[in-house]
Amino acid sequence: MKTVLLLLIFYTHNAFSAVLNGDDIAKNLRENQYSSGFQARFNVLHRNQKGVTSAPMQLILIGQVNALQRRFLLRSVSANTLNPTQILIEQTENTPPKILQLNATNATPSTLPPHVPLLESALQAIDLLSPWWSWQQSLGASAIIQGKKCQILHSVDPSTQQNLRYHRAESCIDLQHNLALKIQIFNADNIEVRRFEVLKTWPKSSGNGYLAKKFRLTTATREVTEFEIYSGDEEYQINDQTFAALKFDRQ
């Protein structure tokens, strides 16, 4: 599976130059998110800041990514979901993202900001858009995570805006297996606001590198969501209607 939620957040390229450069690594990250179409299905567990775990749920993510545009359709598909929801996330080059949400009980979609939790999880639209790979990049020291050596990559938002929710990121890249084992996001006050951690990996179908099969997302308020792929299609066929509109078949 080439490009799924976990790939969008974690995947790195296998063709690193002999002399590593932070900008080159980030460029490879962006380019290897590109996909003409993919679908991934996830089992999801969410625990709130009080330690209460919600009922397990399932999500479907459909996406298409290229140099000029990112488009995602996120759906809740759990049998125990009383109000099924669809979320459309779109962003073209150098424009703010557009996020629309439609519940089965509503006639028209509503607009969401990029930093709100989606589908009763800690996931946000900004996580899928992963802007930190387009920030200013620099290399740090090496580190060890779960017994694996990784390269620290520092990413800083060049914006001069004050009080940024996401100001910098610190990622630990397993160069041998082409995977970011951990990504930490900090705000303008240098407070960690989000953390992504790989829990399980699997080889890509091409045999070229690994993907994160399961990962954990932790927020500043100690909410935790775990996502695990149970099926997917790395060559999902996108048609003119895939991202055209949000709709439900109503009786």
Side-chain angles (χ1 to χ4, degrees):
M1 187 173 303
K2 181 179 178 183
T3 311
V4 294
L5 169 61
L6 307 180
L7 174 57
L8 291 167
I9 295 174
F10 293 105
Y11 179 63
T12 63
H13 191 259
N14 67 328
F16 291 104
S17 60
V19 179
L20 293 176
N21 177 284
D23 289 331
D24 291 338
I25 293 175
K27 179 175 181 290
N28 288 332
L29 283 160
R30 293 193 304 272
E31 291 179 352
N32 280 280
Q33 294 172 355
Y34 296 171
S35 170
S36 60
F38 69 84
Q39 182 192 79
R41 294 173 179 263
F42 299 90
N43 289 318
V44 182
L45 284 176
H46 179 71
R47 185 172 71 247
N48 66 21
Q49 57 190 1
K50 296 181 180 180
V52 178
T53 301
S54 303
M57 57 182 170
Q58 294 179 326
L59 304 179
I60 295 178
L61 177 68
I62 298 171
Q64 185 179 53
V65 181
N66 57 48
L68 301 179
Q69 187 177 54
R70 294 168 177 262
R71 301 194 293 178
F72 306 101
L73 182 63
L74 190 62
R75 297 173 176 166
S76 59
V77 294
S78 303
N80 59 357
T81 300
L82 299 178
N83 190 18
T85 303
Q86 297 183 12
I87 297 173
L88 177 66
I89 302 167
E90 293 185 315
Q91 185 175 29
T92 56
E93 188 177 27
N94 300 321
T95 63
K98 178 180 73 173
I99 302 108
L100 299 176
Q101 174 176 282
L102 179 66
N103 297 323
T105 55
N106 295 338
T108 57
S110 57
T111 301
L112 299 177
H115 295 95
V116 300
L118 304 177
L119 302 178
E120 301 178 3
S121 76
L123 182 70
Q124 300 176 358
I126 201 72
D127 299 326
L128 292 173
L129 299 171
S130 54
W132 44 86
W133 303 134
S134 297
W135 294 348
Q136 294 175 349
Q137 311 292 333
S138 63
L139 295 178
S142 60
I144 302 294
I145 294 181
Q146 299 178 1
K148 298 179 180 180
K149 184 178 180 180
C150 58
Q151 170 68 55
I152 300 296
L153 178 65
H154 299 288
S155 310
V156 179
D157 188 341
S159 172
T160 57
Q161 294 179 346
Q162 301 295 314
N163 302 317
L164 290 171
R165 291 175 182 262
Y166 286 12
H167 174 63
R168 69 178 184 90
E170 184 174 298
S171 310
C172 204
I173 313 300
D174 178 354
L175 300 181
Q176 181 180 359
H177 295 114
N178 314 317
L179 196 67
L181 300 178
K182 182 168 70 172
I183 303 173
Q184 296 169 270
I185 310 296
F186 300 85
N187 64 15
D189 295 322
N190 206 36
I191 297 173
E192 184 184 45
V193 293
R194 304 179 78 66
R195 178 185 299 183
F196 306 93
E197 298 170 284
V198 172
L199 304 178
K200 295 180 181 179
T201 62
W202 64 5
K204 291 179 59 184
S205 58
S206 65
N208 184 19
Y210 280 69
L211 298 177
K213 184 179 188 295
K214 181 179 181 180
F215 84 102
R216 177 190 298 125
L217 169 58
T218 305
T219 72
T221 58
R222 299 186 182 279
E223 289 189 85
V224 179
T225 305
E226 292 187 357
F227 301 83
E228 184 166 11
I229 298 173
Y230 66 89
S231 69
D233 183 354
E234 62 186 83
E235 296 181 358
Y236 186 78
Q237 296 299 309
I238 303 294
N239 58 47
D240 293 340
Q241 298 302 311
T242 303
F243 304 104
L246 301 179
K247 63 181 181 179
F248 286 95
D249 294 328
R250 304 179 189 278
Q251 300 297 324

